[in-house]
Amino acid sequence: MNQAALKDLLYRLADDQLILGHRNSEWNGLGPILEEDIAFSSMAQDKLGHSLQLYLLLNQLGEAEPDTVAFTRNAPQFHCSQLVELPIGEYDFSLIRHFLYDHAELLRFEALGQSSYEPLAQVARKLKGELKYHVLHANTWVKRLGSSTEEAIERLQQSLNYALPYALGLFEKTDQEEAIIAEGIFIGEDALKGRWEESIRTVLSQTALQLPDLRTLTPVYGGRTGEHTEYLQPLLDEMAEVFRLDPTADW
């Protein structure tokens, strides 16, 4: 097994989950209604748990302990997409990001369930159930609000238009892409993006929202190779506060 290719993929997966988990946790106590406050907090906790499972796989491959990997790196050492590091903004943006991201992640983990690297395949099959719930939650609210008032539809459409170039960054390839596909570790980003577009288009067609022609958009790349927004380092500094005070604290 090509360990460099495998680690490259695992870091991308784990860092996305860790950063978006922390971002979504910022809705704790701020949700527009209590139901959503609890839902976002619960899904944030899931994502932190997912990142831990993936960091443990990296640890088994010789990388540092999960706490060390999660809380001692600086922004250029992270491999997350720029989509997940953006501030939570208003609820319409966080909902659209949740919708775009979790559709991609569910499809990604469904594919990874057939990975040639069995430890990763086992984790993917285990986490898929929670991701199905995340997608169900996102679909419910996008359909409800995307077919409601003129203001709600306009706000969601603006957030969709803003978030889509960043969401395309989820499918940014690295120099390990060919090895990942050749070794049967993963189906590859192009195949995943095709499935993702079909999946989100199906849901959006049931609303008043319009999916722009993705071919006309310029993807926001760079996150997979350590180029990040100005928002990531302050988030990492905040995340690491407890670890710096007590490196022995459990997750």
Side-chain angles (χ1 to χ4, degrees):
M1 186 64 66
N2 185 326
Q3 287 214 359
L6 184 56
K7 290 180 181 179
D8 174 78
L9 176 63
L10 288 171
Y11 269 114
R12 285 187 273 146
L13 297 173
D15 288 350
D16 271 355
Q17 296 282 341
L18 177 70
I19 299 304
L20 189 54
H22 275 274
R23 275 297 183 219
N24 282 346
S25 74
E26 295 173 359
W27 278 107
N28 190 6
L30 298 176
I33 58 174
L34 181 59
E35 178 185 357
E36 278 302 273
D37 195 320
I38 296 171
F40 260 83
S41 297
S42 176
M43 290 186 291
Q45 191 172 30
D46 287 346
K47 292 192 185 307
L48 296 181
H50 297 173
S51 69
L52 176 58
Q53 293 295 313
L54 296 163
Y55 287 135
L56 285 170
L57 289 181
L58 281 163
N59 182 239
Q60 292 169 8
L61 293 170
E63 297 297 289
E65 294 287 334
D67 281 1
T68 302
V69 172
F71 300 124
T72 64
R73 287 179 295 157
N74 290 315
Q77 297 169 292
F78 269 75
H79 305 274
C80 57
S81 66
Q82 294 189 15
L83 174 70
V84 301
E85 62 199 52
L86 297 173
I88 58 173
E90 300 289 339
Y91 178 72
D92 47 82
F93 171 72
S94 280
L95 174 60
I96 286 294
R97 173 166 58 181
H98 162 40
F99 171 73
L100 297 174
Y101 176 83
D102 279 299
H103 268 262
E105 288 306 277
L106 175 58
L107 294 167
R108 190 184 295 275
F109 278 78
E110 284 179 344
L112 287 169
Q114 305 301 317
S115 174
S116 59
Y117 185 59
E118 186 55 27
L120 175 57
Q122 290 179 4
V123 168
R125 291 193 289 267
K126 177 182 175 184
L127 303 186
K128 189 174 64 176
E130 290 180 344
L131 289 169
K132 282 184 177 178
Y133 164 76
H134 294 186
V135 168
L136 175 63
H137 173 268
N139 288 350
T140 299
W141 282 98
V142 165
K143 289 178 185 177
R144 183 181 299 180
L145 296 177
S147 306
S148 59
T149 66
E150 183 176 342
E151 179 185 2
I153 293 167
E154 182 179 354
R155 291 181 65 142
L156 283 176
Q157 185 67 58
Q158 290 178 352
S159 288
L160 179 64
N161 295 345
Y162 172 71
L164 273 170
Y166 287 97
L168 292 175
L170 291 169
F171 311 104
E172 179 181 1
K173 299 175 188 174
T174 70
D175 56 8
Q176 298 292 340
E177 179 76 0
E178 291 184 9
I180 288 170
I181 297 172
E183 298 231 7
I185 300 171
F186 182 54
I187 59 173
E189 299 300 333
D190 285 343
L192 179 65
K193 186 170 69 174
R195 296 179 185 183
W196 171 79
E197 181 176 355
E198 181 181 355
S199 182
I200 63 170
R201 187 181 298 281
T202 298
V203 177
L204 293 176
S205 68
Q206 300 170 54
T207 73
L209 301 172
Q210 301 297 316
L211 181 65
D213 184 348
L214 300 186
R215 295 170 300 180
T216 66
L217 303 179
T218 301
V220 177
Y221 288 151
R224 303 308 190 194
T225 54
E227 296 177 16
H228 297 285
T229 67
E230 61 186 301
Y231 307 111
L232 181 59
Q233 189 59 53
L235 177 64
L236 297 176
D237 292 340
E238 183 178 339
M239 283 168 45
E241 284 181 355
V242 173
F243 182 78
R244 292 196 186 101
L245 289 172
D246 182 4
T248 65
D250 291 331
W251 285 39

